[in-house]
């Protein structure tokens, strides 16, 4: 029987590329996001291109009621999620704390931390009962380092690291793997979202250097997900060659 993967934030960027790669490599998929049109387009494309079975779940991960309703709607084989990729997340704004926008902080913390917890809570309970499964959390270089104007985002990704490490201990008795992947700069809709639709500012982030692409992260996630049962890749820090830290870049 094919394994089931659930990828949050599959409408764009890393989640979309990961969904394509998992579907091409023997997984049936549950894909989630808020933008229903993009989700439906993705489902059609995945079915045609890969022959995988694909189920869309459209909801806002910040809303616990929506998360519970969506996961509770799963029946039959879809209830048995083998791989959860906790990918949905975002940065909003780039401001020092003294002039930070509280709504931006709330969006980041509610999505990156609480949303990831809501999903993990619902999906890991089945993994515990079945004594099998794998959770891969999208962390960031910002989960290991900090940079000015990024307090709330860095805090949210440090929280992802803490949740990952805690869950790895909690799920140890049940043989459930918990991993994180911590990318540096990846060219997705991330910067467009961070700068609230300012295309020029978003493009400047990647100017003069070669960033990572979503496919690079998807390939690493597939590798992590397909190790033998006795191997758990705990965390992967993956950077563009043109980036040495959260603050050091080689631009030409
Ligand atoms: P994108 O903006 O391209 O994709 C983000 C995805 O998250 C979208 O599918 C979006 O779907 C989903 N999402 C955001 N908010 C919500 C919400 N409230 N409810 C449900 N889904 C939501 O960014 P990336 O692909 O780059 O980001 C994916 C992950 O990778 C994030 O966790 C990010 O922090 C992390 N990351 C990104 C890096 C980068 O440089 N790009 C580097 C390191 C980590 P929709 O809008 O349809 O809801
Ligand atoms: C995204 C990478 O450096 O913008 O997580 O925080 S960074």
């Amino acid at each position: 029987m094919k394994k089931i993967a659930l990828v949050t934030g599959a409408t764009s960027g890393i989640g979309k590329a990961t969904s394509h790669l998992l579907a091409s490599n023997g997984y049936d998929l549950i894909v989630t996001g808020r933008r229903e049109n993009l989700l439906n387009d993705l489902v059609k494309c995945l079915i045609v291109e890969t022959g995988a079975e694909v189920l869309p779940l459209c909801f806002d991960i910040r809303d616990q009621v929506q998360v519970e309703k969506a996961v509770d709607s799963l029946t039959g084989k879809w209830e048995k999620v083998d791989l959860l990729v906790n990918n949905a997340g975002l940065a909003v704004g780039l401001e020092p704390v003294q002039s930070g926008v509280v709504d931006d902080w709330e969006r980041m913390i509610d999505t990156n931390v609480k949303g990831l917890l809501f999903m993990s809570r619902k999906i890991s309970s089945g993994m515990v009962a079945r004594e099998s499964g794998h959770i891969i959390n999208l962390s960031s270089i910002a989960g290991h380092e900090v940079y000015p104007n990024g307090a709330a985002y860095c805090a949210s990704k440090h929280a992802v690291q803490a949740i990952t490490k805690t869950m790895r201990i909690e799920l140890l008795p049940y043989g459930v793997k918990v991993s994180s992947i911590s990318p540096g700069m990846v060219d997705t809709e991330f910067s467009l979202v961070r700068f609230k639709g300012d295309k020029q500012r978003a493009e400047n982030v990647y100017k003069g250097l070669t960033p990572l692409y979503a496919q690079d992260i998807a390939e690493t996630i597939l590798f992590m997900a397909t190790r033998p049962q006795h191997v758990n890749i705990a965390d992967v820090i993956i950077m563009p060659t043109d980036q040495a830290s959260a603050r050091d870049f080689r631009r030409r």
Side-chain angles (χ1 to χ4, degrees):
M1 203 161 99
K2 286 174 92 175
K3 286 195 168 184
I4 310 275
L6 190 162
V7 180
T8 66
T11 54
S12 162
I14 293 167
K16 189 174 177 183
T18 302
S19 299
H20 274 277
L21 206 57
L22 291 172
S24 308
N25 282 275
Y27 286 83
D28 285 332
L29 278 191
I30 303 163
V31 288
T32 87
R34 289 166 302 179
R35 289 171 288 180
E36 196 164 20
N37 56 331
L38 296 185
L39 212 47
N40 290 336
D41 290 349
L42 175 70
V43 172
K44 277 185 217 143
C45 184
L46 288 175
I47 291 172
V48 171
E49 285 180 13
T50 70
E53 284 186 50
V54 190
L55 189 76
L57 289 179
C58 187
F59 62 91
D60 189 327
I61 206 164
R62 293 171 294 181
D63 183 334
Q64 193 198 352
V65 174
Q66 287 189 37
V67 171
E68 303 231 333
K69 208 170 149 198
V71 176
D72 287 341
S73 74
L74 297 172
T75 55
K77 74 167 194 171
W78 297 109
E79 284 183 82
K80 299 187 180 97
V81 174
D82 297 289
L83 171 66
L84 168 63
V85 183
N86 271 322
N87 165 76
L90 77 180
V92 198
L94 200 58
E95 295 284 345
V97 171
Q98 67 268 22
S99 56
V101 179
V102 174
D103 183 59
D104 292 352
W105 297 348
E106 283 174 346
R107 283 177 65 191
M108 289 185 269
I109 290 163
D110 287 352
T111 311
N112 301 355
V113 183
K114 290 170 68 181
L116 181 141
L117 281 168
F118 294 155
M119 285 305 298
S120 300
R121 180 174 179 274
K122 282 303 279 182
I123 299 296
S124 67
S125 59
M127 291 178 169
V128 165
R130 293 188 299 280
E131 298 203 358
S132 78
H134 191 179
I135 299 173
I136 300 180
N137 293 327
L138 256 293
S139 179
S140 167
I141 188 65
H144 296 266
E145 297 178 30
V146 296
Y147 51 86
N149 307 322
Y153 183 70
C154 292
S156 77
K157 291 300 182 178
H158 276 66
V160 171
Q161 287 299 123
I163 294 164
T164 304
K165 290 181 200 163
T166 308
M167 287 190 73
R168 191 178 301 130
I169 300 167
E170 291 169 349
L171 297 178
L172 178 66
Y174 307 101
V176 175
K177 301 189 202 186
V178 186
S179 313
S180 57
I181 176 164
S182 301
M185 185 184 280
V186 190
D187 187 359
T188 62
E189 290 181 10
F190 180 85
S191 293
L192 198 61
V193 172
R194 167 169 259 170
F195 298 123
K196 303 174 183 176
D198 184 337
K199 233 177 147 191
Q200 190 55 57
R201 210 170 160 202
E203 280 170 9
N204 284 344
V205 171
Y206 311 109
K207 216 171 189 171
L209 54 72
T210 307
L212 294 169
Y213 298 103
Q215 183 70 13
D216 300 316
I217 308 305
E219 285 171 7
T220 311
I221 290 172
L222 177 67
F223 181 79
M224 293 165 80
T226 52
R227 291 313 84 210
Q229 176 52 28
H230 70 285
V231 179
N232 179 28
I233 298 184
D235 187 18
V236 174
I237 298 180
I238 173 169
M239 308 272 272
T241 306
D242 284 342
Q243 180 177 10
S245 78
R247 303 177 66 173
D248 293 284
F249 301 96
R250 178 175 182 236
R251 294 189 195 269
R252 290 167 288 258

